């Protein structure tokens, strides 16, 4: 984004130190806003710093006058100074012609001064004059052509192409063809560099996404491997005592026990259930040979966390219950008759009949 002309005009009225401070700030803002695009001022800051103050315009009312004769005289003197090769004097004569103009100066008058300013390596001042000329006549081929060359000097290739092409459409100039070719080639180089930089940034983002995904996958696999290693006989079961004579297994040896444990670990529901410390404690107690009594076992089976897993484990051990448990699915009432509705036991007389 180019610096607005009125801002540049104001800058040239500042002291050198203040001007540098403001330009530094403007350059920083332009870089942040444009992302260093082609149209950002690559050398505008440096150019503005070395350029002397812009020459006055007709808008400087404290300097302008209404003297048409002087205008004509100074225009002629400017032409003679150009022919003599005195560019600085020619600029001064054009400036006096502009200030003495009774009406708004013509686009050609501003464009002529802009041409000289560009030759004197004052592109920003030349750009300002071209803008003033085009404000008077938007179809001024000379103003468009000079401004296109200004943009070329500032390496604003796309803007240069736009102005030079427009000028050629209005008034073809053989000498501008080479400028157009240079600007076109430079613009293509810039577009290619921008595209390459964009592709590199996109590839970097894609690589970062892949790296994150791969890291997450490795973490997941490692977690699964750690869980599997800990479940070598379920967590905390390594070297479980008393596994040679599990009740109800007919004194199964270690070979059969290992096969049975392997079968348990193939069941995802059992593996998941054993992750619960409460379930694991009950299972470890059962596997240690210290089988809980019937009441305790019944209590475990009723536990909503432990019961379903224990039932499934017990089914793996041979069906309805553990050895000696007589089927834990529903424990018979302990003790004698528990109510008046109990059936009489065969062979025992009803004592009430004796009364």
């Amino acid at each position: 984004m180019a610096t607005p002309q009125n801002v540049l005009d104001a800058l040239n009225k500042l002291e050198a130190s203040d001007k540098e401070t403001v330009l530094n700030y403007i350059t920083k803002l332009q870089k942040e806003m444009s992302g260093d695009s082609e149209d950002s001022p690559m050398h505008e800051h440096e150019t503005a710093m070395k350029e002397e103050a812009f020459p006055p315009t007709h808008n400087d009312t404290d300097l302008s006058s209404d003297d048409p004769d002087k205008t004509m005289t100074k225009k002629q003197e400017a032409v003679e100074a150009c022919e003599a090769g005195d560019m600085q004097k020619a600029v001064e004569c054009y400036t006096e012609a502009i200030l003495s103009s009774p009406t708004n100066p013509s686009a050609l008058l501003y464009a002529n001064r802009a041409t000289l300013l560009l030759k004197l390596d004052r592109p920003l001042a030349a750009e300002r004059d071209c803008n003033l000329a085009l404000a008077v006549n938007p179809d001024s081929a000379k103003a468009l052509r000079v401004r296109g060359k200004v943009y070329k000097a500032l390496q604003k290739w796309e803007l240069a192409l736009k102005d030079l092409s427009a000028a050629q459409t209005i008034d073809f100039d053989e000498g501008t063809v080479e400028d157009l070719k240079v600007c076109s080639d430079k613009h293509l180089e810039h577009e290619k560099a921008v595209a390459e930089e964009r592709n590199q940034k996109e590839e970097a983002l894609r690589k970062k996404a892949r790296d994150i995904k791969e890291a997450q996958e490795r973490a997941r696999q490692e977690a699964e491997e750690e869980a599997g290693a800990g479940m070598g006989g379920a967590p905390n079961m390594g070297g479980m005592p008393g596994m040679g004579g599990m009740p109800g297994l007919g004194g199964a040896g270690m070979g059969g026990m290992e096969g049975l444990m392997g079968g348990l670990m193939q069941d995802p529901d059992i593996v998941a259930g054993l992750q619960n410390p409460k379930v694991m404690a009950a299972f470890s107690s059962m596997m240690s040979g210290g089988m809980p009594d019937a009441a305790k076992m019944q209590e475990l089976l009723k536990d909503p966390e432990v019961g379903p897993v224990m039932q499934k484990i017990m089914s793996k051990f041979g069906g309805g219950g553990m050895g000696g448990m007589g089927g834990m699915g529903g424990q018979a009432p302990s003790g004698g008759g528990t109510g008046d509705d109990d059936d009489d036991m065969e062979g025992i007389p009803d004592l009430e009949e004796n009364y």
Side-chain angles (χ1 to χ4, degrees):
M1 181 182 70
T3 305
Q5 190 60 55
N6 61 334
V7 176
L8 291 174
D9 290 342
L11 283 173
N12 280 282
K13 296 177 182 179
L14 299 174
E15 296 292 334
S17 59
D18 293 336
K19 181 179 178 181
E20 181 176 7
T21 299
V22 175
L23 280 171
N24 284 331
Y25 182 68
I26 290 174
T27 301
K28 179 182 177 182
L29 289 179
Q30 287 172 330
K31 287 181 178 180
E32 291 175 353
M33 294 173 63
S34 66
D36 290 327
S37 65
E38 179 186 280
D39 293 338
S40 62
M42 299 179 68
H43 304 296
E44 193 168 317
H45 179 179
E46 293 81 358
T47 302
M49 286 302 301
K50 71 180 183 180
E51 273 199 31
E52 59 188 87
F54 291 175
T57 70
H58 191 263
N59 296 328
D60 297 318
T61 54
D62 55 332
L63 299 175
S64 60
S65 62
D66 183 359
D67 190 345
D69 292 336
K70 183 178 180 180
T71 299
M72 293 300 296
T73 300
K74 291 300 177 180
K75 284 169 64 175
Q76 183 59 39
E77 290 179 2
V79 172
E80 293 172 356
C82 284
E83 292 175 349
D86 192 344
M87 301 297 175
Q88 185 59 45
K89 182 178 179 180
V91 167
E92 294 170 358
C93 290
Y94 273 127
T95 298
E96 293 189 55
I98 289 170
L99 293 175
S100 62
S101 177
T103 59
N104 198 29
S106 68
L108 184 59
L109 193 54
Y110 276 123
N112 284 341
R113 188 172 72 172
T115 301
L116 296 173
L117 288 169
L118 181 59
K119 289 180 178 180
L120 291 171
D121 195 23
R122 299 174 64 184
L124 298 183
E127 181 186 10
R128 193 275 305 269
D129 274 8
C130 289
N131 292 338
L132 292 171
L134 290 169
V136 177
N137 178 14
D139 294 325
S140 171
K142 183 164 188 177
L144 285 168
R145 184 171 291 113
V146 175
R147 194 172 68 174
K149 292 180 178 181
V150 167
Y151 289 144
K152 175 178 174 243
L154 295 174
Q155 300 184 21
K156 299 180 181 181
W157 310 116
E158 187 173 3
L159 292 176
L161 277 174
K162 181 180 178 181
D163 276 0
L164 292 175
S165 297
Q168 291 292 78
T169 300
I170 297 170
D171 180 24
F172 183 81
D173 174 60
E174 186 67 33
T176 306
V177 173
E178 182 61 27
D179 288 326
L180 273 171
K181 183 178 184 304
V182 171
C183 292
S184 179
D185 291 343
K186 292 292 185 179
H187 177 58
L188 288 175
E189 288 177 11
H190 175 79
E191 289 294 298
K192 182 179 178 181
V194 169
E196 184 176 349
E197 182 180 1
R198 182 173 59 250
N199 290 337
Q200 289 175 351
K201 289 181 179 179
E202 291 175 353
E203 178 57 31
L205 290 175
R206 286 192 292 269
K207 183 179 183 302
K208 184 176 181 180
R210 288 195 301 269
D211 291 344
I212 293 174
K213 186 175 180 180
E214 290 173 1
Q216 291 174 338
E217 180 63 19
R218 284 195 302 271
R220 185 188 66 79
Q221 291 177 354
E222 289 173 1
E224 290 180 353
E225 290 173 0
E226 289 177 1
M231 296 297 293
N236 303 320
M237 289 184 61
M240 189 70 71
M243 294 182 66
M246 182 70 191
L249 289 174
M254 284 301 295
M257 193 61 184
E258 290 177 359
L260 181 58
M261 290 304 300
L264 289 178
M265 294 305 103
Q266 294 299 316
D267 190 314
D269 292 336
I270 293 177
V271 172
L274 290 174
Q275 300 298 320
N276 186 328
K278 191 174 181 181
V279 176
M280 189 64 238
F283 182 65
S284 298
S285 176
M286 183 179 72
M287 294 301 295
S288 68
M291 177 65 64
D293 58 31
K296 181 62 176 178
M297 196 65 183
Q298 191 70 13
E299 181 182 340
L300 290 174
L301 292 174
K302 289 179 180 179
D303 190 298
E305 295 181 61
V306 178
V309 182
M310 296 300 291
Q311 286 281 13
K312 194 151 193 177
I313 292 173
M314 289 164 61
S315 69
K316 298 287 185 180
F317 281 121
M322 301 292 291
M325 294 293 294
M328 290 301 299
Q331 181 178 349
S334 60
T338 59
D340 293 338
D341 294 332
D342 290 344
D343 292 335
D344 295 338
M345 297 181 65
E346 186 177 355
I348 302 297
D350 188 349
L351 296 181
E352 291 184 1
E353 294 177 358
N354 297 328
Y355 292 95

